[in-house]
Amino acid sequence: MAKTIAVSIMLNLWYKSAVIYCIDVETFMDGNGDGIGDFEGLIDRLDYIAGLGINCIWLMPFYPSSVTFRVF
């Protein structure tokens, strides 16, 4: 029984046949109009992503930047 379960788990490695797309949320799609990508924009485009055949999304890490950007 344990051997059957182990074989079943080994055969069901979904990521081996998955199409994985890495997304940088900040640059992907702006959903609220402030010019910076956000989760709202990502959610709005999930149908588009799925239509490309992508079935797994890997989100790039996001964190506040210590660098201040100035517009001249």
Side-chain angles (χ1 to χ4, degrees):
M1 178 73 169
K3 185 177 181 180
T4 304
I5 293 172
V7 170
S8 177
I9 290 171
M10 291 298 290
L11 294 176
N12 192 20
L13 298 175
W14 62 269
Y15 56 86
K16 287 193 171 200
S17 62
V19 178
I20 303 171
Y21 186 62
C22 185
I23 294 179
D24 182 358
V25 176
E26 241 183 342
T27 61
F28 180 70
M29 182 71 186
D30 177 21
N32 61 6
D34 67 354
I36 299 171
D38 48 37
F39 286 110
E40 184 180 343
L42 174 61
I43 291 168
D44 288 344
R45 301 296 291 190
L46 284 178
D47 289 337
Y48 169 75
I49 293 169
L52 295 174
I54 296 164
N55 50 21
C56 179
I57 297 174
W58 180 302
L59 298 179
M60 294 287 291
F62 50 95
Y63 42 87
S65 174
S66 61
V67 178
T68 303
F69 295 99
R70 290 187 239 166
V71 178
F72 296 97

